[in-house]
Amino acid sequence: MMTDMREVDLVPAATHRELTLSYHDGRTRRVLVNDQEVPYPDGMLIVSRTDPAGIITHANQAFVDLSGYERDELIGENHCILRHPDMPAAAFRDLWDTVGRGAKWQGYVKNLRKDGAHYWVFATAIPNVREGRVVGYTSVRRKPSRAKVNEYAALYARMRAEELK
């Protein structure tokens, strides 16, 4: 059960804004966002697995550390707990359409941490197929280049502006 973000978990003394995110399944969630970016550490790989519905079934320590959540807060949650409000819905629609076809998806994603800060990743998501059927997905995230982050931040801002019209 995805819960609303709490003030007690926020970056101390950081100014935040409160937003309501709407998800594809009709749920909403209150998020508290600040403009602090947590740099992606060199040499780190984030790995997670989900079931076919996007519920997290595995989170490596790098994922736990960078997300700011405890492992038990991630396992059993929908992966969209990390959705940053700056991310356009079309990016996630493309991800799900691609892996739904059984193909590999790659892209740049701005993730929301538990404390309201964010971090950027270059993500690769692949379907896990057993006996001909998708049983879940694996995602591996790497450090993105700053040039690509800047490029995608501008693109996503334009896409979000279009979505909000």
Side-chain angles (χ1 to χ4, degrees):
M1 290 294 258
M2 209 167 9
T3 59
D4 290 341
M5 293 178 74
R6 305 174 317 159
E7 286 83 358
V8 68
D9 295 323
L10 296 178
V11 173
T15 302
H16 70 274
R17 58 192 189 279
E18 181 176 330
L19 302 160
T20 300
L21 284 180
S22 297
Y23 297 94
H24 67 282
D25 61 3
R27 288 180 300 151
T28 61
R29 178 177 182 229
R30 175 178 157 239
V31 294
L32 305 169
V33 180
N34 66 57
D35 293 324
Q36 182 178 355
E37 181 174 356
V38 174
Y40 194 109
D42 290 332
M44 178 189 282
L45 285 180
I46 293 175
V47 179
S48 62
R49 285 191 299 274
T50 71
D51 70 10
I55 304 301
I56 300 168
T57 59
H58 169 78
N60 75 345
Q61 190 60 46
F63 184 24
V64 171
D65 293 344
L66 200 51
S67 74
Y69 287 94
E70 298 295 326
R71 187 179 318 277
D72 65 351
E73 293 175 303
L74 292 167
I75 303 299
E77 259 321 325
N78 192 293
H79 215 287
C80 65
I81 192 172
L82 302 171
R83 180 177 160 203
H84 193 284
D86 290 349
M87 286 296 299
F92 295 113
R93 195 167 30 256
D94 180 58
L95 179 153
W96 285 107
D97 289 349
T98 301
V99 296
R101 292 191 310 272
K104 173 175 76 172
W105 179 89
Q106 291 186 307
Y108 293 85
V109 179
K110 183 178 186 178
N111 282 326
L112 179 63
R113 291 170 41 94
K114 181 179 179 178
D115 64 8
H118 67 275
Y119 61 98
W120 281 89
V121 299
F122 177 66
T124 301
I126 59 169
N128 301 327
V129 179
R130 304 286 183 272
E131 298 177 6
R133 79 182 172 91
V134 174
V135 297
Y137 303 97
T138 297
S139 180
V140 177
R141 276 90 74 205
R142 295 169 184 76
K143 182 176 184 166
S145 76
R146 180 51 44 187
K148 285 293 188 182
V149 166
N150 295 340
E151 178 185 329
Y152 276 86
L155 172 64
Y156 291 163
R158 289 191 304 273
M159 292 172 71
R160 283 290 296 149
E162 281 298 312
E163 287 177 355
L164 296 173
K165 281 187 179 179

